C-alpha cells in the first residue's frame, strides 16, 4: 500500500494540478485575505433577542466564550436555522424565483449564502410573518446606500429601539413595529443611521 501523503503535501499537489504554483502557504494566505474582505462586521455583544433566538434552537453560548466571532457565527446559525429557500419565499410572496433573486441582489430582501446546495440563497424567516413579507420591509432595507449586511440588518430588526415606543412607553423591535402596522418611514430612518 502506498504511503498516505501529509495534508500539506496533498494540498500542494492539488494546487499544482490546478495551475497554482506558489504553494500552499501562499494559497492559504491569499484565501485568508479574501475571506477577510467578505466577512461581515462583528457585533460587540449578543442582544437579548439574539440570545432568545439562540436559546430557541438549543444554543446557549457561555458568557466567557462570547467573542465577536462566536456572536456572528451564532447569529448566522440561528438565521439559517429559521430560513426559507428561494422557491419557498417566491411561493410565499406570489412571485417567480427570479424575482426573489433580483430582490436579494438589489437589497430589498435579506439573504444569506448557504455553504452548499444548488440554491445557495437562504432568506431569514424573520422578514416574513403570517404568510407574507413584513409590511414596508423593502423600504427599510433600501434606506441604506448599498446592500445592507444581512447579519447587521437582522440584528437591527430584532433589537428593541427606544424611538419605536409601544403604547405603554416600552421600546419595540422594528420587526414588531412593522407587523403592527407602524410607519415604515420611522424604521427606515433608524436603519439609515446604523
Amino acid at each position: 500500500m502506498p504511503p498516505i501523503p501529509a495534508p500539506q503535501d496533498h494540498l500542494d499537489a492539488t494546487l499544482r494540478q490546478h495551475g497554482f504554483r506558489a504553494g500552499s502557504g501562499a494559497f492559504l494566505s491569499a484565501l485568508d485575505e479574501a475571506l477577510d474582505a467578505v466577512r461581515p462586521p462583528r457585533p460587540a455583544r449578543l442582544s437579548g433577542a439574539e440570545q432568545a433566538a439562540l436559546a430557541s434552537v438549543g444554543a446557549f453560548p457561555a458568557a466567557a466564550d462570547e467573542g465577536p466571532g462566536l456572536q456572528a457565527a451564532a447569529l448566522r446559525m440561528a438565521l439559517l436555522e429559521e430560513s426559507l429557500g428561494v422557491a419557498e419565499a417566491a411561493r410565499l410572496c406570489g412571485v417567480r424565483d427570479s424575482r426573489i433573486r433580483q430582490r436579494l441582489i438589489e437589497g430589498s430582501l435579506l439573504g444569506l449564502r448557504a455553504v452548499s446546495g444548488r440554491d445557495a440563497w437562504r432568506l431569514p424567516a424573520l422578514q416574513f410573518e403570517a404568510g407574507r413579507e413584513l409590511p414596508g420591509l423593502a423600504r427599510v432595507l433600501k434606506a441604506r446606500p448599498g446592500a445592507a449586511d444581512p447579519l447587521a440588518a437582522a440584528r437591527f430588526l430584532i433589537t428593541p429601539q427606544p424611538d419605536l415606543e409601544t403604547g405603554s412607553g416600552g421600546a419595540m423591535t422594528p420587526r414588531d413595529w412593522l407587523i403592527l402596522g407602524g410607519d415604515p418611514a420611522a424604521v427606515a430612518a433608524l436603519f439609515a443611521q446604523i
Side-chain angles (χ1 to χ4, degrees), residues 46 49-61 70-71 73-75 77-78:
L46 289 175
E50 291 165 338
Q51 291 174 6
L54 289 172
S56 73
V57 296
F60 301 95
L70 175 62
Q71 293 170 22
L75 178 58
M77 178 189 76

Side-chain angles (χ1 to χ4, degrees), residues 62-132:
D65 296 335
E66 195 180 299
L70 175 62
Q71 293 170 22
L75 178 58
R76 180 178 171 78
M77 178 189 76
L79 291 173
L80 286 171
E81 181 73 25
E82 297 291 326
S83 66
L84 310 173
V86 169
E88 188 178 1
R91 279 191 299 280
L92 190 69
C93 294
V95 298
R96 293 176 183 238
D97 294 10
S98 60
R99 178 62 183 135
I100 296 296
R101 285 187 186 89
Q102 182 182 25
R103 291 195 55 202
L104 288 166
I105 291 167
E106 73 186 20
S108 64
L109 279 174
L110 295 176
L112 298 167
R113 290 285 193 168
V115 176
S116 63
R118 182 185 171 279
D119 189 2
W121 283 108
R122 300 297 301 172
L123 290 88
L126 61 82
Q127 59 196 325
F128 304 98
E129 180 68 21
R132 63 185 178 98

Side-chain angles (χ1 to χ4, degrees), residues 25-46:
F27 173 77
L28 293 174
S29 178
L31 179 60
D32 194 42
E33 286 178 31
L35 289 173
D36 283 341
V38 297
R39 284 186 182 119
R42 296 179 178 178
R45 295 196 48 80
L46 289 175

